[in-house]
Amino acid sequence: MTDARLIPQSTIFILYGGTGDLAHRLVLPAFYRLAIAGLLPEDWRLVANGRGDVSHENFQEDVRKTLEEFGPKPSEGPWEEVRSRLRFAGGGFESANPGTLLDLVNEARQELGGQPQLIHYMAVPPSAFGPLTEAIDTHGLAEGSRVVYEKPFGTSMETFVELDRIVHETFEESQVYRIDHFLGKEATQNIHVLRFANGLFVESWDNSHIGCVQIDVPETLDVAMRAAFYESTGAILDMLVTHLFQLAGEVAMEPPHCLDPECLAEARENVIGCFRPLTHSDVVVGQYEGYTDVEGIPDDSRTETYVAARMWVDNDRWAGVPFLLRTGKCLAESHQRVSVLFKHAVPLLPGQPQGGNVLGFELSGDGEIALTLVVKEPGVEMTLGETAISLPLGKGFHTPSLPAYSRLLHDVLIGDRSLFTRPDGLEHVWKVADGILQHRPVPIPYAKGSWGPPAATELAAPNVWHLGE
């Protein structure tokens, strides 16, 4: 039986960009998973908004097709019940013209009765965040509501400051949820649990014991249907200043006063304030061969599809420890991996391998913790070798895990902001990246199926990339 405290009040969920790629790949499937898990309100309506003129029935059928493609399948849950609560409001939504959205919201309020909470979800490009926020204010839909902004929250320091101003003219900070779905992953949350709850690691999490931290999110996929979005962002905005910086904050945070949500969020934002601004010597960017052949991409595009960065955390705990961050499209393998490389034991045993101990967190799927150890190889001779052991997460427990988007959507529904980014941390993120964003490096071509430009190997020296080497 689901804990009643986890069931939110009746809700009208407005999905801006409701016919877009993000809504159909991630948001709507995540919403359906909550329906299957019994974690949606007892009564709710989802009103998708877009510029087109789509009937409720056609939108419902589009959602059914989406679930058939991306899952969970409609047959796996209460599809007919969910279908009956889906609506579409066409005509866009602007300060000067609300389209049909206000009519649909008023109709939903009458159907639900009482005082349903209103949630705005911005599944739209960052350039639309400001105008939509102003329209919400103009049409009186802000008071008492919650708003979810997808990443990136701005595209530079200047646009971040302007968007933050617009948002806080309409909403109180307590109403705002800036989503970074990597923070919603079960394995990400296990980083701080494993570190702070296990004496094996709590005293060794510093520059005396750790030689390097690597955060690696290579992808084998190309930009595919996201070409227009990707051309306007690139790997730096799409991944580095969002997911990878937040993961670095998870690894590097100081011990919080407690493991309550606000304590963890404050610890993460505080250490992000210690990140040293990147310079061009700290960054290698690349573009996979054939990127400009994709429909909609200019022949002379200088958008990077790969970025590797060497970052430093300027505090006593991490002085001298490089944080190596890497992500890209069309690479050799797909991973979402955090690797903590420990220093060699001193003195080394004769014949000891040079790899040392590596603690790895695989964040994809249900997640996995892996530990590389030096051991004696079987046999009559004293030969030392390396072996890896892994602990799959999400197995061995009676409680199933929720995918990141479903977890974060549920947190919005019940009002838990602990896994969402805050403006103080985001402001410093933009300071860290501002130098390379103002004068973006020229991308180096790299072959599909490779590990990116060879210059990234030099960037990591004297270390090596744990993945792909």
Side-chain angles (χ1 to χ4, degrees):
M1 181 178 296
T2 303
D3 189 332
R5 293 171 297 178
L6 300 180
I7 302 299
Q9 68 186 85
S10 62
T11 299
I12 302 171
F13 191 92
I14 303 175
L15 181 58
Y16 301 93
T19 58
D21 179 64
L22 175 63
H24 283 262
R25 282 190 306 107
L26 294 172
V27 182
L28 289 165
F31 207 86
Y32 193 55
R33 286 190 180 93
L34 291 181
I36 293 172
L39 293 173
L40 289 178
E42 291 187 7
D43 207 356
W44 56 272
R45 298 292 183 273
L46 186 150
V47 181
N49 175 246
R51 295 191 177 279
D53 184 14
V54 180
S55 70
H56 301 327
E57 293 76 16
N58 285 344
F59 175 67
Q60 292 162 4
E61 177 60 16
D62 287 343
V63 174
R64 188 193 65 77
K65 292 177 180 177
T66 287
L67 297 177
E68 290 287 356
E69 180 177 1
F70 297 107
K73 304 288 187 184
S75 59
E76 296 175 21
W79 166 243
E80 287 303 322
E81 179 184 345
V82 168
R83 182 199 60 77
S84 69
R85 300 168 191 253
L86 303 177
R87 306 286 186 269
F88 187 84
F93 185 66
E94 302 172 353
S95 294
N97 181 8
T100 62
L101 181 60
L102 295 182
D103 294 335
L104 266 293
V105 169
N106 289 333
E107 180 181 306
R109 281 172 168 160
Q110 292 175 5
E111 291 175 354
L112 295 175
Q115 298 292 324
Q117 69 175 346
L118 198 61
I119 293 176
H120 307 276
Y121 195 108
M122 304 281 187
V124 295
S127 59
F129 291 169
L132 280 174
T133 301
E134 292 172 332
I136 289 169
D137 186 29
T138 298
H139 298 295
L141 297 180
E143 184 176 357
S145 67
R146 297 170 186 158
V147 59
V148 183
Y149 293 97
E150 273 287 344
K151 55 88 178 173
F153 192 79
T155 55
S156 65
M157 172 60 80
E158 182 180 5
T159 58
F160 162 76
V161 170
E162 176 63 11
L163 178 57
D164 195 53
R165 179 190 65 79
I166 292 172
V167 167
H168 286 112
E169 285 180 352
T170 301
F171 298 102
E172 299 292 331
E173 175 61 24
S174 60
Q175 297 174 267
V176 180
Y177 296 73
R178 301 171 193 82
I179 199 167
D180 187 319
H181 74 272
F182 270 59
L183 295 182
K185 292 176 175 288
E186 290 281 355
T188 301
Q189 296 166 61
N190 260 300
I191 294 174
H192 55 250
V193 172
L194 180 141
R195 173 187 169 188
F196 298 129
N198 293 278
L200 181 63
F201 299 108
V202 70
E203 295 299 331
S204 59
W205 211 261
D206 57 28
N207 55 6
S208 296
H209 301 88
I210 294 173
C212 179
V213 175
Q214 299 185 15
I215 300 175
D216 226 332
V217 187
E219 297 180 79
T220 57
L221 299 175
D222 59 18
V223 297
M225 295 177 61
R226 301 180 71 222
F229 169 81
Y230 206 85
E231 177 63 14
S232 67
T233 56
I236 294 174
L237 286 176
D238 186 42
M239 294 292 294
L240 182 66
V241 300
T242 52
H243 304 319
L244 303 193
F245 279 1
Q246 293 297 325
L247 288 175
E250 280 287 313
V251 175
M253 70 170 68
E254 289 297 299
H257 299 300
C258 63
L259 291 182
D260 290 341
E262 287 304 317
C263 289
L264 286 168
E266 182 178 359
R268 184 173 60 244
E269 303 301 336
N270 284 344
V271 80
I272 287 175
C274 298
F275 289 2
R276 185 186 303 175
L278 296 174
T279 67
H280 280 67
S281 63
D282 298 315
V283 174
V284 171
V285 301
Q287 185 185 93
Y288 67 78
E289 295 171 354
Y291 173 74
T292 55
D293 297 333
V294 177
E295 184 178 355
I297 303 298
D299 292 340
D300 59 351
S301 172
R302 290 176 50 171
T303 298
E304 74 284 346
T305 62
Y306 171 100
V307 59
R310 178 182 56 218
M311 190 181 72
W312 306 93
V313 181
D314 288 332
N315 62 17
D316 292 342
R317 181 181 297 275
W318 296 107
V321 178
F323 279 63
L324 300 176
L325 317 177
R326 180 173 62 166
T327 185
K329 299 287 187 180
C330 289
L331 296 179
E333 298 175 11
S334 289
H335 291 279
Q336 297 173 1
R337 180 71 61 86
V338 175
S339 301
V340 180
L341 282 66
F342 287 86
K343 294 181 177 180
H344 296 296
V346 179
L348 290 175
L349 293 176
Q352 182 168 333
Q354 294 298 307
N357 302 138
V358 180
L359 176 63
F361 299 86
E362 178 62 41
L363 309 183
S364 58
D366 286 337
E368 180 179 273
I369 295 174
L371 182 61
T372 302
L373 299 169
V374 176
V375 298
K376 177 189 174 297
E377 294 184 1
V380 297
E381 296 183 358
M382 180 56 73
T383 303
L384 304 185
E386 291 180 357
T387 189
I389 58 174
S390 62
L391 173 65
L393 302 173
K395 295 179 173 65
F397 297 92
H398 70 279
T399 308
S401 62
L402 277 176
Y405 259 91
S406 295
R407 164 65 192 270
L408 294 173
L409 275 179
H410 183 257
D411 284 353
V412 175
L413 288 165
I414 64 174
D416 184 343
R417 298 177 66 241
S418 60
L419 297 178
F420 295 82
T421 58
R422 304 193 321 188
D424 48 353
L426 286 176
E427 181 177 8
H428 192 74
V429 160
W430 291 116
K431 290 179 181 177
V432 174
D434 196 51
I436 59 172
L437 288 172
Q438 291 291 337
H439 305 284
R440 292 176 93 130
V442 178
I444 303 168
Y446 65 92
K448 291 182 178 180
S450 70
W451 281 98
T457 300
E458 302 170 15
L459 185 73
N463 300 286
V464 297
W465 293 100
H466 184 59
L467 290 180
E469 296 294 340

